[in-house]
Amino acid sequence: MPCLVYSEATLRNMRLFPAAAAAAFLALGSVPAAQAQLITNGSFETGDFTGWTLTAPNGGTPAASVAGAPGTYFQNVPKPDGSFISTFGGENQTANALLTQTFATVSGTEYVLRFFYAAGGEQAQSLQVQAVDVLTSATLLTQDVVDSTPVADVLNIPFDEYTYVFTATGENTRLSFRDTSTNTTSTDGLLDNVRVSAAVPEPSAAFLLALGALPMGALIARRRTRRSV
Ligand SMILES: [Ca+2]
């Protein structure tokens, strides 16, 4: 709960309008805490694709893997979060990977998707991100993410954080990342720290007005105590 300091006028209002003060207290009690994280293993810190489904849209073997294990090329690559990342098109493979995860949603609720992406190598890399309603197949979000500023220095790969908002239309939503890179030589697409959570609602005007009349009996009592010393 935030630390609040009240003016004399506000304290006077608290005494004059106890109903508004009570309403403010109830409103404050309903303010959501940190929003729950809906993605499992979004940072790939299990060292594998636990929680995810990896398929090959073009058939054959998916061209993606989790990288960062000790003794490997990607061990020393600075990661946005933890020790592991997902790589797309490693070892000069042609783009052929679709990484998906389904999670429970509430229809009509707005969600925020965040993740980090970078081209690790000498050529541009790209990814298509989508959110789809599982039941109706309605597309809730489609974005093409392109990192056209790759760097060859594996210890200096600049990851960018991407943030998108979508509104769920059903009980289950499927998030997907599809490697769409056309360059394959000495370049991988790198994904890390995928997160989805319900958007935090803006405090309503009524709440902000009521906040000015929040009952703080203890604070009033303390002020009176100070006066009496
Ligand atoms: Ca990670």
Side-chain angles (χ1 to χ4, degrees):
M1 186 178 295
C3 179
L4 300 168
V5 178
Y6 297 96
S7 65
E8 276 295 339
T10 300
L11 291 170
R12 189 166 60 246
N13 285 340
M14 289 177 186
R15 299 178 199 116
L16 292 174
F17 303 105
F25 186 77
L26 289 171
L28 190 61
S30 69
V31 171
Q35 298 296 297
Q37 179 50 241
L38 303 177
I39 296 296
T40 300
N41 193 30
S43 188
F44 309 104
E45 294 306 300
T46 60
D48 56 26
F49 284 121
T50 295
W52 296 90
T53 299
L54 176 64
T55 57
N58 303 331
T61 305
S65 59
V66 172
T72 65
Y73 176 80
F74 278 103
Q75 177 187 4
N76 296 320
V77 172
K79 325 282 192 314
D81 184 74
S83 302
F84 293 92
I85 52 177
S86 173
T87 71
F88 294 92
E91 299 178 345
N92 298 341
Q93 295 179 93
T94 301
N96 186 20
L98 179 67
L99 187 62
T100 69
Q101 185 168 144
T102 298
F103 49 92
T105 46
V106 176
S107 181
T109 296
E110 200 170 66
Y111 293 87
V112 179
L113 163 66
R114 293 186 176 87
F115 59 89
F116 287 89
Y117 184 67
E122 301 169 3
Q123 301 186 71
Q125 295 286 279
S126 59
L127 198 64
Q128 184 184 68
V129 56
Q130 282 192 322
V132 173
D133 184 283
V134 172
L135 185 63
T136 66
S137 297
T139 301
L140 312 176
L141 170 75
T142 299
Q143 289 287 334
D144 291 311
V145 175
V146 180
D147 185 353
S148 56
T149 56
V151 293
D153 180 2
V154 72
L155 296 180
N156 189 31
I157 296 174
F159 281 82
D160 289 320
E161 185 172 26
Y162 296 84
T163 301
Y164 301 109
V165 174
F166 64 90
T167 301
T169 58
E171 294 180 354
N172 291 287
T173 298
R174 181 185 302 114
L175 174 67
S176 66
F177 295 96
R178 180 173 182 157
D179 186 12
T180 56
S181 304
T182 53
N183 303 310
T184 59
T185 305
S186 301
T187 307
D188 301 344
L190 309 177
L191 176 69
D192 197 17
N193 206 12
V194 182
R195 292 144 289 158
V196 172
S197 58
V200 178
E202 296 289 330
S204 70
F207 167 72
L208 292 174
L209 283 172
L211 193 64
L214 190 71
M216 291 289 280
L219 177 60
I220 296 168
R222 196 176 308 130
R223 291 170 65 96
R224 284 176 178 164
T225 303
R226 281 178 185 163
R227 282 188 188 129
S228 66
V229 170

